[in-house]
Amino acid sequence: MAEQIWLNGTLVPAADATLSAFDHGLTVGDGIFETLRATDRVVWAPSRHLARLRRSAAILGIEVPYSDDELRSAMQAVLDTHDLALARVRVTVTAGPGPLGSDRAGATPTVLVAVAPLPSWPESTSVCVVPWLRNERGAMAGAKTTSYAENVVALAYAKERGCTEAIFANTVGMLCEGTGSNVFCVFDGQIITPPLSSGCLAGVTRELVLEITDALEEDIAMRAFLLADEVFLTSTGRWVQSVHQIDGRRLVPGKTTARIAKAFATLCAGTPDP
């Protein structure tokens, strides 16, 4: 079977899938999405991801026109047309066709499920702090929206400097997040990650790490972040990845990060929907 996508309730060959030129997700970035991990066609943590999709939809005022069971079936149907041991499954929901401006037309939302290979990440990586800030008080704070241009620019900045992730502070000088990851720091053995009030996204992997560890949610000043004993990133793609360099400062991946990575891997091996 040729690789397909799921568009508004129907499987369609990827080459034949079309959207309206007036779709608000295209014209003004009026949409939300979730990226899920699938191993051997089994989707990981679908319940948590779909719950977050609906939280993002509520922030934007978009009503997802399909149930969780329908979206689960859609993801599985698309995965079954791909031969991938490790896959990235993306569920995208936009406000549908609308005017060439910020107003909506009350159209039925567009829903798209697509699959692509998920790259494997090394055990550790390097990051850099970007000169732009996250707005922790903005209308979209906490929503995973399709308006990702800020992340595109920040990640390009990081890659130009030999890093795989860009780190944002928020408007009050506190650590916020990466372009596609949450950040944890270790100070004297204590694990700390920024609270959701910092403006960071409520990452699924972040949530699980908080549940299986004694990590605290506390504000972290950027000057403290730069001097942390250990730093690690969490995301659906990276899972738990240690950081060995921040803005050129070398860190030694430590025992705490290694312990968390092992505990998380054990959790994930136990169930596909933790």
Side-chain angles (χ1 to χ4, degrees):
M1 181 184 295
E3 295 179 356
Q4 301 191 1
I5 66 168
W6 190 90
L7 178 61
N8 296 330
T10 303
L11 278 175
V12 182
D16 298 334
T18 59
L19 296 177
S20 167
F22 296 95
D23 193 288
H24 245 212
L26 171 65
T27 58
V28 296
D30 186 11
I32 57 173
F33 75 99
E34 282 292 318
T35 299
L36 300 87
R37 182 187 189 109
T39 304
D40 296 327
R41 300 182 183 177
V42 176
V43 179
W44 179 73
S47 295
R48 293 177 189 254
H49 278 284
L50 291 175
R52 188 174 63 178
L53 180 79
R54 295 189 186 280
R55 292 197 300 270
S56 294
I59 292 173
L60 268 71
I62 296 174
E63 185 172 347
V64 181
Y66 297 97
S67 68
D68 284 3
D69 285 344
E70 288 173 316
L71 293 176
R72 285 171 183 261
S73 295
M75 289 188 283
Q76 194 61 58
V78 178
L79 276 168
D80 287 344
T81 71
H82 291 70
D83 185 19
L84 294 171
L86 187 60
R88 183 199 315 249
V89 183
R90 173 162 164 152
V91 180
T92 305
V93 182
T94 79
L100 292 175
S102 298
D103 287 339
R104 289 177 178 156
T108 299
T110 298
V111 183
L112 169 69
V113 179
V115 168
L118 179 66
S120 297
W121 290 94
E123 288 187 8
S124 69
T125 193
S126 58
V127 304
C128 67
V129 177
V130 295
W132 308 288
L133 304 176
R134 285 283 202 241
N135 182 1
E136 74 281 3
R137 299 177 65 185
M140 294 298 98
K144 193 172 179 68
T145 78
T146 57
S147 303
Y148 247 46
E150 184 177 76
N151 287 335
V152 171
V153 171
L155 188 57
Y157 176 98
K159 289 191 171 182
E160 288 171 359
R161 288 155 179 79
C163 302
T164 72
E165 183 58 300
I167 304 299
F168 288 96
N170 63 19
T171 64
V172 292
M174 298 296 173
L175 176 64
C176 186
E177 63 182 352
T179 64
S181 64
N182 291 108
V183 186
F184 285 76
C185 298
V186 180
F187 301 97
D188 295 325
Q190 177 63 62
I191 310 164
I192 302 176
T193 194
L196 298 184
S197 59
S198 71
C200 69
L201 187 69
V204 169
T205 307
R206 172 190 182 275
E207 182 178 86
L208 287 165
V209 169
L210 285 170
E211 290 177 9
I212 65 173
T213 69
D214 61 353
L216 302 177
E217 294 179 271
E218 294 182 356
D219 283 321
I220 303 170
M222 289 304 292
R223 61 182 179 276
F225 164 66
L226 295 172
L227 297 174
D229 300 326
E230 300 177 42
V231 173
F232 61 89
L233 307 177
T234 62
S235 73
T236 294
R238 298 173 190 261
W239 276 0
V240 176
Q241 184 185 40
S242 64
V243 172
H244 62 253
Q245 184 169 286
I246 305 173
D247 283 347
R249 178 204 167 208
R250 300 288 297 183
L251 289 84
V252 177
K255 294 181 179 180
T256 300
T257 300
R259 173 172 58 83
I260 302 309
K262 183 178 180 179
F264 186 78
T266 299
L267 171 70
C268 295
T271 174
D273 201 8

